[in-house]
Every structure is written in structure tokens, then in C-alpha cells.
Amino acid sequence: MFKLSLAQMDIKLGDPEANFTLARQWTAEAAQRGSELIVFPELWSSGYDLENWQKHASPLGQGMFASLSDLAAEFKIGIAGSILEARNGKAYNTLTLFDAKGEQRAVYRKVHLFRLMEEEKWLAPGEESVLVETNWGKTGLAICYDLRFVELFRKYALAGAKAIIIPAEWPARRAAHWQTLLRARAIENQMFIIAVNRVGESKGEIFGGHSAVIDPWGEAIVEGDDHQSLLHAEIDMGLVDEVRKRIPIFEDRREDVYRDE
């Protein structure tokens, strides 16, 4: 069984110090509970303070990335979540996965930028999908708006992913989309979806929470509400193989029909 924790934060806009203080507190609690992984929301250290990205962003291995590495090593727990990365004079919305030794295992830069929050104005898009081998199985990485792009998730599934980690800042007014799409991605790809959304208000936008772990049948193992909370779940990764054997959609795919001429 794989134990993990979801950090459904009310992110303080442009205040990395306050956000890191809470992150440290919750990391300690998650480790004490026996979780192997804690997942934080999208841009959890700064929020959507994108116009001030130069104040918050740092290269990999420095700044908040280094702090996360140290935090993972100190509490002997894996940590995932996206923050701002400075790279070649540009800013990226970057999801990193650190293992329990504090070693960086994966880096994913958000591929699909969300125009409704002016991401394209401040951020550069990532160029590749990222699948990583972990202690609990092959895991794909995605961020928020990526959830709407079925091609990315199917690519991960066909490559052997058994879970996807998705940090997000998803508005409450589209909470129904969030909840529906999490279940759809889990059911259609017969995998676990590990999704962490923020709560609270920022720049006039209210965020919906409802962080969740959805199993390959589309059932919620744990699901939050719209309040700040640290959630915990325990999952059996063997369920992925059971479901795929029970309903063998990957064996029944007709690529000859789907392929463009």
C-alpha cells in the first residue's frame, strides 16, 4: 500500500515565506503519519504573482527548489508541487518531484498555458511530457490546465503510467469541470489521479479545492472540500493491473481506425 498526503493550501499571494512555513508544518505532519509523498498545489509558494516572477523564480537547484530538496531529505518524504523556475531569461511553471533523500527525480514544465489567467503573457511553455519511475510505479506529471488535454494522459497511459500527479489552481466557478475531468481521466486511462487544488481567494478569483485521489474505477479514495486542509490517502497500486485486466481497453484499441491517413 502507498500512503500519500495532499496539501490543499490557501496560498498567500507573493509571500513565499508564509507559504513555506505552512508547507514545512504539513510536510512534518505527513511524514509523521507515514506518507511516502506529499503533493502541493500549483505555484504554491507564490500564487499567481506572475508579474513579479523575477522576485520568486530561481533556477533548478537554487532558491525554493533547494529548500524543497532539503525539506524532503529532512523529513524523509517525497515532495511534489509546482513553483516558478527561472531558465534562460524566461519563467516556467515547473513541477518537480523530489524523493525521500531530497534528490530531484523529475522536472515537468507546464505544456499548456492558460490564457484566462494570462499565463502566456508571463510564462514560457514546456516542451515535453515527463514520466518517472517511482517506488509506487510509473507516474506521469501534469499541471492544472493540462487536465483538459486527453492526448497527454493517453500518452502517459500507453507508456505504462499507473498514476498522474496534478497540482492546480482551479477556480471554484468551474469546480464541476475539475471533478468531472479528474474522474474521466482516471476511468478512460484506468489509472490513479492524484490531484491537489488550492483554496481561498486571490485577485478576485475564488479557488475550488476538492483535491482528490481518484482510483482507476473513477471512485474517490479521498476528496477535500473548499477549505484549507491536509488530506491523506492509502492506495493499492495493484488495482491498476486488476482493472486493466477486467476491462482490457488497451488491448481492444483500434489504432488502424484512429490513425490519420
Side-chain angles (χ1 to χ4, degrees), residues 4-215:
L4 70 157
S5 298
L6 312 180
Q8 185 169 281
M9 296 174 63
D10 181 353
I11 299 167
K12 307 305 178 187
L13 182 67
D15 193 347
E17 184 176 346
N19 294 321
F20 186 77
T21 296
L22 179 59
R24 180 182 176 80
Q25 175 188 327
W26 277 1
T27 299
E29 182 178 337
Q32 187 175 25
R33 284 176 167 267
S35 291
E36 295 179 52
L37 174 71
I38 182 169
V39 183
F40 291 95
E42 179 182 20
L43 299 179
W44 64 267
S45 67
S46 63
Y48 264 82
D49 194 23
L50 299 183
E51 61 270 29
N52 295 310
W53 70 267
Q54 291 177 314
K55 287 173 46 180
H56 307 304
S58 57
L60 292 175
Q62 300 179 32
M64 191 60 74
F65 293 108
S67 296
L68 282 178
S69 174
D70 292 343
L71 195 63
E74 178 181 356
F75 292 104
K76 298 179 175 57
I77 184 174
I79 297 178
S82 93
I83 59 179
L84 290 170
E85 177 195 1
R87 180 171 178 256
N88 299 327
K90 299 178 181 179
Y92 292 82
N93 185 344
T94 300
L95 166 57
T96 50
L97 174 63
F98 293 94
D99 66 19
K101 295 179 180 179
E103 295 179 0
Q104 182 179 284
R105 296 295 308 282
V107 177
Y108 170 76
R109 298 177 178 94
K110 189 175 185 180
V111 170
H112 303 99
L113 300 183
F114 191 50
R115 298 172 189 267
L116 272 67
M117 294 183 76
E118 297 188 324
E119 288 188 336
E120 81 289 350
K121 183 177 179 180
W122 305 104
L123 302 176
E127 299 295 337
E128 59 183 2
S129 59
V130 175
L131 182 66
V132 58
E133 187 68 66
T134 69
N135 293 336
W136 55 87
K138 285 186 178 180
T139 301
L141 304 181
I143 300 174
C144 200
Y145 187 43
D146 289 331
L147 182 61
R148 292 185 180 273
F149 296 86
V150 296
E151 301 92 341
L152 178 63
F153 287 77
R154 181 46 56 93
K155 179 180 180 180
Y156 283 139
L158 292 175
K162 293 191 173 183
I164 307 289
I165 294 173
I166 314 172
E169 289 203 34
W170 198 283
R173 52 180 158 167
R174 291 185 289 277
H177 292 193
W178 167 258
Q179 292 176 287
T180 300
L181 291 171
L182 292 181
R183 286 158 175 79
R185 299 294 90 87
I187 293 168
E188 69 198 7
N189 293 298
Q190 298 175 321
M191 60 170 60
F192 284 96
I193 299 294
I194 300 167
V196 182
N197 189 29
R198 69 161 293 179
V199 295
E201 181 272 337
S202 181
K203 294 184 174 181
E205 189 73 70
I206 298 173
F207 294 89
H210 288 279
S211 302
V213 175
I214 308 297
D215 76 12

